């Protein structure tokens, strides 16, 4: 499939943002993952689990497959972070994070420009007719800015 | 000019990120603009000036016009923030920010998809032949994620 250049550039920006935040996570030892990004704010480990759950959700949302780690939602989507909450171990989350990103990055490359512009699975054909911006590409951009939102926060951690 | 839908969606994401961060800035009174996003980190006013300078630079970088506020660079690009540095007043910066964003948002809408995929002004035709990703659209995406990077930081301010 020939790649639309605008899609190609967007996916390459996606990969580089994922790489930047993965490096940020990898730069913290497991024991430092419990540091907060700012006083009273999310712990690094919470951001890792949260990002993993959000990226995992892209599989069904974009019609690319089933969730791999729906068990994460209880910890990282439904409830805000709290220092008292026990979370899955850092090593486990690091593995899920890399697995999910490999899966979505590969699946992204199977979509044509037309498919990127088609509706995502949370919108009905009737809604999509009225709101054609509710397409896969829009979701991709909103998740792209979601990565950098948390990347900016990780840059503030005082080690 | 008929808009390429991928460009149209990207520009609408741009506008909504600019709107979100403008709301974040507007939610702080002038005197609160001197709060830091986290202990020892940038003050809100520094982020406002920094974002304004970076967006102002898009005018020459994308070949859309002359800089409007090159005088900001000395405060917000060349030097990191320091609580001892006197900066331009918040009201002044708020005006510059809105002016620059109105100018670039209007100029963005004059570019065709081909022009978005053409080289930006910091790359020579020879370099561009080897590195065709160094185009305007790539710059747009990198500045889009730059907005959300700082938006994530502004969300951490303790008032």
């Amino acid at each position: 499939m020939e790649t639309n250049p605008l899609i190609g550039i967007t996916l390459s920006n996606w990969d580089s943002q994922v790489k930047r935040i993965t490096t940020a996570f990898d730069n913290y030892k497991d024991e430092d993952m419990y540091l907060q990004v700012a006083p009273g704010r999310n712990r690094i480990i919470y951001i890792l689990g949260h990002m993993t759950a959000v990226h995992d959700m892209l599989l069904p949302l974009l019609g690319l497959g089933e969730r791999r780690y729906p068990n994460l939602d209880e910890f990282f989507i439904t409830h805000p972070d709290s220092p008292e909450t026990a979370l899955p171990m850092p090593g486990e989350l690091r593995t899920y994070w890399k697995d999910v990103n490999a899966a979505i990055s590969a699946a992204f490359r199977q979509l044509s420009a037309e498919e990127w512009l088609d509706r995502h699975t949370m919108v009905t054909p009737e809604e999509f007719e009225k709101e054609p911006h509710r397409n896969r590409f829009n979701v991709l951009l909103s998740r792209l800015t979601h990565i950098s939102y948390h990347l900016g926060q990780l840059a503030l951690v005082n080690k």
Side-chain angles (χ1 to χ4, degrees), chain A:
Chain A
M1 181 176 67
E2 189 158 354
T3 313
N4 176 298
L6 297 167
I7 303 283
I9 294 161
T10 310
L11 293 183
S12 119
N13 271 266
W14 173 274
D15 285 344
S16 80
Q17 289 290 313
V18 168
K19 195 171 169 186
R20 275 182 71 185
I21 200 164
T22 303
T23 302
F25 291 134
D26 286 350
N27 279 342
Y28 294 104
K29 294 188 202 134
D30 285 358
E31 62 263 36
D32 291 334
M33 293 295 280
Y34 300 90
L35 293 168
Q36 295 174 320
V37 294
R41 302 301 183 158
N42 288 337
R43 291 173 293 176
I44 301 167
I45 190 168
Y46 185 89
I47 295 181
L48 172 58
H50 170 70
M51 299 284 316
T52 306
V54 168
H55 286 201
D56 191 45
M57 283 177 190
L58 284 172
L59 290 164
L61 181 59
L62 301 184
L64 304 171
E66 298 280 313
R67 290 287 304 267
R68 292 175 172 230
Y69 305 105
N71 55 311
L72 295 178
D73 297 10
E74 175 194 347
F75 298 103
F76 301 110
I77 300 287
T78 320
H79 301 104
D81 193 20
S82 147
E84 294 81 43
T85 313
L87 298 175
M89 299 303 289
E92 200 181 333
L93 292 172
R94 293 182 199 278
T95 305
Y96 299 166
W97 167 249
K98 285 167 195 178
D99 176 58
V100 162
N101 284 301
I104 57 175
S105 183
F108 285 172
R109 279 163 177 80
Q110 302 305 313
L111 295 171
S112 66
E114 290 65 34
E115 288 168 320
W116 278 110
L117 289 169
D118 200 2
R119 68 189 171 93
H120 59 71
T121 62
M122 294 294 281
V123 63
T124 65
E126 294 71 34
E127 289 168 334
F128 188 61
E129 197 152 329
K130 285 177 223 149
E131 303 170 292
H133 63 278
R134 298 178 68 182
N135 55 40
R136 289 191 180 95
F137 190 67
N138 208 10
V139 172
L140 180 68
L141 290 183
S142 95
R143 296 309 182 274
L144 177 67
T145 54
H146 181 248
I147 301 173
S148 48
Y149 184 94
H150 289 297
L151 194 52
Q153 298 181 330
L154 292 173
L156 302 178
V157 176
N158 271 317
K159 273 184 85 167

PDB file of all heavy atoms in Angstrom, chain A residues 35 50 141:
ATOM      1  N   LEU A  35       8.067   8.163  42.412  1.00  0.00           N
ATOM      2  CA  LEU A  35       8.176   9.619  42.572  1.00  0.00           C
ATOM      3  C   LEU A  35       6.983  10.289  41.896  1.00  0.00           C
ATOM      4  O   LEU A  35       6.478   9.796  40.881  1.00  0.00           O
ATOM      5  CB  LEU A  35       9.464  10.134  41.908  1.00  0.00           C
ATOM      6  CG  LEU A  35      10.788   9.695  42.537  1.00  0.00           C
ATOM      7  CD1 LEU A  35      11.959  10.045  41.599  1.00  0.00           C
ATOM      8  CD2 LEU A  35      10.967  10.373  43.897  1.00  0.00           C
ATOM      9  N   HIS A  50      -1.314   4.462  32.989  1.00  0.00           N
ATOM     10  CA  HIS A  50      -2.376   5.230  32.335  1.00  0.00           C
ATOM     11  C   HIS A  50      -2.151   5.298  30.824  1.00  0.00           C
ATOM     12  O   HIS A  50      -3.070   5.043  30.026  1.00  0.00           O
ATOM     13  CB  HIS A  50      -2.416   6.629  32.953  1.00  0.00           C
ATOM     14  CG  HIS A  50      -3.297   7.595  32.237  1.00  0.00           C
ATOM     15  ND1 HIS A  50      -4.667   7.508  32.246  1.00  0.00           N
ATOM     16  CD2 HIS A  50      -2.996   8.679  31.471  1.00  0.00           C
ATOM     17  CE1 HIS A  50      -5.173   8.500  31.519  1.00  0.00           C
ATOM     18  NE2 HIS A  50      -4.180   9.215  31.029  1.00  0.00           N
ATOM     19  N   LEU A 141      -4.443  12.060  16.352  1.00  0.00           N
ATOM     20  CA  LEU A 141      -3.863  13.342  16.761  1.00  0.00           C
ATOM     21  C   LEU A 141      -4.133  13.634  18.227  1.00  0.00           C
ATOM     22  O   LEU A 141      -3.265  14.147  18.936  1.00  0.00           O
ATOM     23  CB  LEU A 141      -4.415  14.485  15.901  1.00  0.00           C
ATOM     24  CG  LEU A 141      -3.963  14.514  14.447  1.00  0.00           C
ATOM     25  CD1 LEU A 141      -4.539  15.740  13.748  1.00  0.00           C
ATOM     26  CD2 LEU A 141      -2.435  14.516  14.309  1.00  0.00           C
TER      27      LEU A 141
END
